[in-house]
Amino acid sequence: MIQAFGLTSNPRKELPPAVDDVSFEVRAGRVTALLGASGAGKTTVLRLMLELQHGRGLTHFRGRPLHRIAHPSREVGVLLGDVPGHPGRTVRGHLRMLCAAAGVPVQRADEVMESVELLSLRDERLGTLSRGMDRRLGLACALVADPHTLVFDDPVGALSVREARRLHGALRAHAVQGGTVLFSTADPKEAARAADHVVTLEQGRVVADQEAVDFARTRLRPRVAVRTPHAARLGALLAQEARSARRSVEVVREGGNRLAVYGSTCADIGEAAFRHGILVHQLADEVGDMGPGAGVGDEAWAGDGGSAGVPSARQRAADSERAPAPRRPTVARPSPTGPPRPTATDPPSAGSAEADERAPDVDRAGAAVSQASAAGTDQPSAPGNPHPPVAERTPHEAAEAPGSTARRGSTPRTHATLAPGTTASTLPPPISVRSAPSPLRPLRYEIRRALGISTAFVVGAVVLVVSAVMAVVLARIGHTPQARLLAAWPRELPLPPAALGAGLLGALSFGDEFRHPALAADRGTVPRRLGLLTAKLLVSAAVALTLAALAAGTNAEVLHLFYGRELARIPSDWSALGAGWAALVVGCAWAGVLAAGLFRSTTAGLAAVVAVPVVVVPLVQKVWEGPDVRTAAGFPLRVREVLLTQWPFGGERYVAEVLRVVVQPVGGAMTLSLATLLCAYLLTTLRSRTR
């Protein structure tokens, strides 16, 4: 379950906070809707709950705040807005990357794709998916780690009726199996139709916390929509019969041939029209907030035998066996100005027990059945119990009853469906996630992230082509040393193409991830974890070394092809030059990774790479030339004499080469820059954890 206590956002200058002292509870085994108009603070509440926005208050997920949960993605599945992912990544590649991040088997990606019917689109790019497919992918991402809680922000916004029904069916299936579901919406009809509990926000405050049945009775007053060419005559007859029977029935003309009748039923109105020989074109149950013409297309919610596993408020009322409140007879008060408003002293009266039982009915199945009966066809009514045969009780009772199957508990979860004929109501089978953290999980994730899109391959190809062309041009011009010629590094440029490419790929590994966060299932953003940083440093170093070796080899082959062996020969001091070359490209890659992770920008990462030779190297050169550091001239030799005399297999030679590289101005500048960026990154990480 979820318990939110006093959620309050930080004030915005002179404006009041968007969310002020919001507290509510979301129980397991039930679907809860967070209802509010645009600007009411729904998204802010969800972001405060998930600790994605600074503010006051606390949220417990099964008794623990989110920052105290070791693996948040296994506890909470999140979808805020569109699916965050690189548009060039495939659906399967994105899900497999999330599997590696969550530490679950890679086969889990195929299981969740099958459960949300995405197997046929597994090779599609994220940037080509439609809105409905994007919502399905978001549900699959949230279910990858088999979480107990699902938190969705406006999950069916801009979706078709069929896709919205499918998504709500999946959320209901998750709740039936013992999970906790919270979604936000601005549509009161959707909240009453799909949820068991409704929390209403208005201007950042909770104004109502109700069961769906009570919400439907107080907010969505039922009515009967009638279309007839004799609207005025039928309205007068209904008002006259209501006065004779002393029933509270109100008839409202809504323009043209349409009537809205409050306090009556389809059966009573149909019988009255039949007795007086009045032709009726439409007769359907609606609710007060639907407005004229809202019944068009609503019967699609009742297609395929019901609302696809989303029980209506009337069905939930029947399950909980709520007795209708007694009604006192009143005099009909026709009002030509609009529908009546229920008051606390004069509750709306239907005049009969049957009408009272239909009061909380906001399901579209009722509208379709009423239209079918008005047309003279026999259609069986929806089943009274929409829940699966595994438990003859409400989802909340099934989740809390002794011996019931609870999600992520010691008892294996049953693979159940909601009702006969339900589509998209099944969930992927449960998984067993190892509790011990593995150091290979971030590494597997980073490898899949780097190889899942073509950016690295395109950058590598461009670097090799530019490097080969520059090597040929420099050899043609002449006056370039052999070492710089093999690296395609003219003196006029601060860095060779291979080093710039390595720095760009390093910056993309973190900066691009903040633009398209691949770890959205883990609290909705890229976490500052040292394990993830280590994996990115290792992968970026491997990519940089590979790029450096390919660039040097390509340049040598091109020079040999154009000018013969003389310009392609290997220098005599190749070990020192190779160590310096490797250190340069790896340092550029690491500078890009650290700067992009620190500033959350790819541009900042690449700027930090270029700033090393342009800004830091001149400063280091001035420091080395000062009188206070002249004693460091023989530093490598003295270190070798003190520490490296007993190294086996001639290891002191390689260490001495590394020290020679470090004490050079470029090496010293790179070391200083990396140390500064790493300290800043660690400081930012510690500050975020403290908050």
Side-chain angles (χ1 to χ4, degrees):
M1 64 183 301
I2 305 176
Q3 294 171 307
F5 307 99
L7 297 179
T8 304
S9 62
N10 291 334
R12 302 159 294 176
K13 296 182 179 180
E14 299 179 356
L15 300 176
V19 173
D20 188 10
D21 195 20
V22 172
S23 301
F24 59 92
E25 187 175 277
V26 181
R27 295 185 177 274
R30 312 184 74 190
V31 178
T32 300
L34 190 62
L35 176 65
S38 178
K42 304 184 298 298
T43 302
T44 304
V45 167
L46 297 183
R47 293 183 61 85
L48 289 172
M49 293 172 59
L50 299 170
E51 301 179 4
L52 300 177
Q53 181 172 330
H54 295 303
R56 298 187 300 274
L58 188 63
T59 303
H60 283 173
F61 295 87
R62 292 201 291 181
R64 292 179 298 170
L66 199 60
H67 63 271
R68 295 294 184 184
I69 300 176
H71 301 282
S73 61
R74 301 178 191 169
E75 179 65 31
V76 184
V78 179
L79 178 60
L80 305 178
D82 296 334
V83 175
H86 196 284
R89 201 179 304 276
T90 63
V91 172
R92 172 181 280 180
H94 186 76
L95 291 175
R96 287 187 172 183
M97 182 175 53
L98 294 182
C99 290
V104 301
V106 70
Q107 294 79 9
R108 179 69 175 175
D110 295 330
E111 293 177 357
V112 294
M113 280 192 295
E114 183 178 1
S115 66
V116 300
E117 300 182 8
L118 278 179
L119 273 178
S120 59
L121 302 175
R122 56 184 177 270
D123 296 326
E124 293 291 329
R125 306 289 178 179
L126 267 60
T128 63
L129 297 180
S130 64
R131 179 68 176 177
M133 297 301 103
D134 183 83
R135 297 289 92 182
R136 292 195 204 179
L137 178 60
L139 178 61
C141 294
L143 294 174
V144 159
D146 194 21
H148 176 271
T149 303
L150 294 180
V151 177
F152 282 17
D153 185 17
D154 192 17
V156 299
L159 287 186
S160 64
V161 172
R162 182 179 182 84
E163 291 291 345
R165 179 185 62 187
R166 184 192 305 274
L167 183 56
H168 278 306
L171 297 181
R172 173 62 60 183
H174 185 86
V176 165
Q177 297 183 12
T180 304
V181 177
L182 173 65
F183 72 92
S184 66
T185 180
D187 187 0
K189 299 183 293 297
E190 178 190 351
R193 177 173 53 238
D196 305 305
H197 186 198
V198 181
V199 178
T200 306
L201 293 179
E202 185 175 334
Q203 296 182 354
R205 291 179 176 270
V206 176
V207 296
D209 192 333
Q210 304 168 288
E211 295 295 320
V213 176
D214 299 330
F215 170 80
R217 177 176 291 115
T218 58
R219 175 72 182 272
L220 305 178
R221 189 182 179 191
R223 67 183 179 187
V224 179
V226 184
R227 291 185 183 274
T228 173
H230 309 285
R233 179 186 171 194
L234 180 59
L237 290 174
L238 293 176
Q240 181 180 0
E241 291 185 0
R243 286 192 297 268
S244 302
R246 300 185 61 82
R247 291 189 293 119
S248 177
V249 176
E250 184 168 5
V251 181
V252 179
R253 289 286 302 273
E254 294 188 354
N257 59 351
R258 191 177 192 278
L259 296 176
V261 183
Y262 293 85
S264 186
T265 64
C266 291
D268 294 339
I269 297 174
E271 292 174 2
F274 179 78
R275 287 195 305 268
H276 295 85
I278 297 177
L279 178 64
V280 175
H281 291 164
Q282 181 190 18
L283 195 61
D285 287 326
E286 289 186 351
V287 290
D289 283 0
M290 294 179 66
V296 180
D298 286 343
E299 60 271 13
W301 283 94
D304 300 332
S307 59
V310 182
S312 65
R314 180 176 65 176
Q315 292 167 335
R316 290 191 291 270
D319 289 341
S320 58
E321 297 180 358
R322 296 179 58 89
R327 304 295 185 187
R328 60 183 178 86
T330 57
V331 180
R333 296 185 296 272
S335 173
T337 59
R341 298 180 179 178
T343 60
T345 57
D346 188 13
S349 173
S352 64
E354 180 183 2
D356 184 51
E357 290 175 355
R358 295 185 180 182
D361 183 14
V362 294
D363 190 13
R364 300 300 178 265
V369 173
S370 301
Q371 290 182 6
S373 62
T377 60
D378 294 329
Q379 181 175 347
S381 61
N385 186 4
H387 304 302
V390 295
E392 295 296 330
R393 53 178 68 92
T394 62
H396 178 58
E397 294 171 348
E400 297 184 351
S404 63
T405 301
R407 290 180 58 84
R408 298 183 61 83
S410 58
T411 306
R413 184 182 68 189
T414 57
H415 189 62
T417 57
L418 291 177
T422 297
T423 60
S425 60
T426 59
L427 294 177
I431 57 175
S432 58
V433 182
R434 294 172 294 177
S435 58
S438 170
L440 294 179
R441 291 178 186 172
L443 188 59
R444 291 200 304 264
Y445 159 76
E446 181 60 21
I447 292 174
R448 291 188 179 276
R449 185 208 63 79
L451 301 180
I453 56 178
S454 60
T455 303
F457 303 99
V458 172
V459 171
V462 171
V463 165
L464 294 180
V465 172
V466 173
S467 182
V469 172
M470 290 183 63
V472 172
V473 173
L474 291 177
R476 178 68 176 177
I477 296 175
H479 309 293
T480 302
Q482 181 67 18
R484 283 183 169 265
L485 192 60
L486 291 177
W489 188 1
R491 297 182 183 276
E492 293 77 14
L493 294 181
L495 290 172
L500 286 174
L504 176 60
L505 292 178
L508 286 173
S509 68
F510 238 149
D512 188 67
E513 192 165 300
F514 285 105
R515 289 176 51 220
H516 309 289
L519 295 181
D522 208 354
R523 296 174 60 183
T525 185
V526 181
R528 294 181 178 271
R529 294 179 179 173
L530 296 183
L532 183 62
L533 175 63
T534 304
K536 290 184 178 296
L537 292 178
L538 290 176
V539 173
S540 62
V543 172
L545 291 176
T546 303
L547 187 60
L550 291 176
T554 303
N555 294 341
E557 290 295 330
V558 171
L559 291 175
H560 177 267
L561 178 63
F562 279 85
Y563 303 106
R565 292 181 177 273
E566 183 179 357
L567 295 180
R569 68 178 184 271
I570 299 177
S572 58
D573 55 344
W574 63 270
S575 58
L577 293 175
W581 178 239
L584 177 65
V585 293
V586 171
C588 290
W590 285 0
V593 171
L594 292 172
L598 179 63
F599 299 106
R600 297 175 178 263
S601 170
T602 302
T603 305
L606 188 59
V609 173
V610 179
V612 172
V614 174
V615 179
V616 184
V617 169
L619 295 178
V620 173
Q621 285 178 339
K622 290 183 179 180
V623 172
W624 281 120
E625 294 173 356
D628 297 334
V629 294
R630 287 181 181 178
T631 56
F635 179 73
L637 181 59
R638 290 194 295 271
V639 170
R640 178 180 179 183
E641 293 176 354
V642 175
L643 301 176
L644 306 179
T645 55
Q646 302 297 326
W647 279 71
F649 307 107
E652 68 275 5
R653 182 181 61 181
Y654 301 103
V655 178
E657 297 293 347
V658 173
L659 292 176
R660 284 180 55 190
V661 172
V662 172
V663 297
Q664 292 177 1
V666 176
M670 187 67 68
T671 304
L672 179 62
S673 300
L674 291 178
T676 303
L677 291 173
L678 182 59
C679 291
Y681 185 89
L682 295 178
L683 179 62
T684 308
T685 303
L686 294 177
R687 286 187 60 190
S688 62
R689 289 184 177 180
T690 303
R691 289 179 181 178

